[in-house]
Structure formats: structure tokens, C-alpha cells
């Protein structure tokens, strides 16, 4: 009696590319602050240091879709000198390319900025984007933002004084 033929999984190029993209960006996040003048930084989440993106990483972020987790943040300083940060995390359940999220996240960030803190206290705004499902801890995010100068700007009330 002949042996039954093994059923093999068919090779899927898009699945392989998706797996490679996910693996190459593991442990990295994209950070942006208004004070960085529109510049985004690729940051290693374990070391907290920014790294120059290689062509492979830049291409992966630009061309492939990911299940993004984004933490929107607004930074403020009260007249008594207390600095604070308000955050909102956005989790995407489907995979999206980075370019497909830009307009949505810009609108969400502007709405969050308008509703979260007094306009007189605002000193900066920014976000952290992780290309996979990840619960971004606010204390970790605060440390990361502080490291890249989130609280270095002046609030409106400081400029008027």
C-alpha cells in the first residue's frame, strides 16, 4: 500500500515579507515631537537611544503594513512650574501602511491637543508609534520623551511673562 502524500503548505511570498518586516522592527519604535520640526526618530526601546535607520528598515516602515500601536502625547507646564503629560493610546486591530495612517493620526492628535490641556500650558506634543501590538507604559513614554527634549520648550504663559 503506497504512503499518502504529505500536504505541504504552499509558499507565500507576502507572508514571508510580512514576517521579515515584523522581525526587523521588533524592539524599535518611531518617535516624533513638534519641537523636532517634523523629524521622526527610530528609537531602540531597550536602550532608549535613537539609531539611524538602514535602508532595509526605512523601506520596511514605508512599504509594509503593520498592526500599529500609537501613543499620542501632549506636554504642559503649569504656572507653578509643574510639568505634566497627557496621553492617549490608539491600537489598530488591522494592518496598515504608515502612509495610510498619517491623515487620521494628525486629525486625532489635533483633537486630543484641543481637548486634553489648557492652551496656555501647552509646551510640546508628540507621539510614539510601535509597529506591532504593544502596551506603551506612560512612565516609559515620559522618560523617552524627556530624553529627546519634550519639556525643553516654553508655555504661552512663560512667553507672556
Amino acid at each position: 500500500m503506497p504512503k499518502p502524500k504529505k500536504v505541504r503548505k504552499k509558499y507565500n511570498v507576502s507572508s514571508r515579507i510580512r514576517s521579515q518586516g515584523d522581525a526587523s522592527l521588533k524592539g524599535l519604535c518611531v518617535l516624533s515631537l513638534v519641537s523636532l520640526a517634523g523629524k521622526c526618530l527610530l528609537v531602540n526601546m531597550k536602550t532608549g537611544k535613537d539609531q539611524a535607520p538602514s535602508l532595509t528598515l526605512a523601506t520596511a516602515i514605508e512599504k509594509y503594513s503593520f498592526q500599529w500601536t500609537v501613543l499620542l502625547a501632549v506636554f504642559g507646564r503649569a504656572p507653578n512650574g509643574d510639568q505634566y503629560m497627557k496621553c492617549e493610546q490608539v491600537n489598530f486591530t488591522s494592518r496598515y501602511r504608515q502612509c495610510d495612517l498619517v491623515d487620521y493620526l494628525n486629525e486625532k492628535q489635533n483633537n486630543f491637543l484641543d481637548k486634553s490641556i489648557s492652551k496656555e500650558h501647552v509646551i510640546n506634543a508628540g507621539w510614539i508609534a510601535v509597529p506591532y501590538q504593544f502596551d506603551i507604559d506612560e512612565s516609559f513614554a515620559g522618560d523617552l520623551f524627556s530624553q529627546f527634549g519634550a519639556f525643553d520648550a516654553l508655555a504661552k504663559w512663560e512667553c507672556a511673562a
Side-chain angles (χ1 to χ4, degrees):
M1 183 172 200
K3 281 187 171 180
K5 210 173 189 181
K6 273 189 174 180
V7 178
R8 292 186 174 198
K9 203 178 214 182
K10 197 170 186 174
Y11 177 71
N12 187 334
V13 176
S14 62
S15 175
R16 179 176 169 262
I17 289 172
R18 181 182 304 145
S19 297
Q20 284 180 330
D22 289 346
S24 66
L25 292 170
K26 201 73 172 166
L28 299 175
C29 67
V30 181
L31 180 137
S32 179
L33 288 167
V34 171
S35 61
L36 294 174
K39 183 176 157 187
C40 292
L41 303 173
L42 188 63
V43 178
N44 184 319
M45 293 193 305
K46 288 181 182 173
T47 63
K49 295 183 179 176
D50 65 323
Q51 64 183 55
S54 65
L55 181 61
T56 306
L57 290 178
T59 304
I61 290 172
E62 179 188 359
K63 295 196 178 201
Y64 303 139
S65 60
F66 297 97
Q67 202 170 358
W68 293 95
T69 300
V70 181
L71 182 81
L72 306 172
V74 178
F75 308 94
R77 186 175 299 119
N80 63 2
D82 289 343
Q83 298 180 135
Y84 59 96
M85 171 179 82
K86 299 274 180 137
C87 298
E88 179 182 337
Q89 185 165 316
V90 181
N91 295 318
F92 293 95
T93 55
S94 299
R95 296 177 75 87
Y96 292 98
R97 289 179 31 206
Q98 174 266 334
C99 64
D100 297 333
L101 295 176
V102 172
D103 293 334
Y104 171 77
L105 289 173
N106 282 341
E107 183 180 324
K108 188 120 176 116
Q109 177 82 359
N110 289 335
N111 289 341
F112 181 62
L113 182 62
D114 290 341
K115 295 176 184 174
S116 60
I117 64 176
S118 168
K119 294 219 183 291
E120 294 293 316
H121 293 187
V122 174
I123 55 175
N124 212 339
W127 48 263
I128 294 175
V130 181
Y132 48 88
Q133 289 298 298
F134 185 76
D135 187 30
I136 303 171
D137 183 33
E138 285 189 25
S139 64
F140 165 75
D143 293 341
L144 204 57
F145 280 126
S146 295
Q147 181 178 338
F148 292 101
F151 292 102
D152 293 348
L154 296 175
K156 264 188 182 177
W157 65 267
E158 291 175 307
C159 295

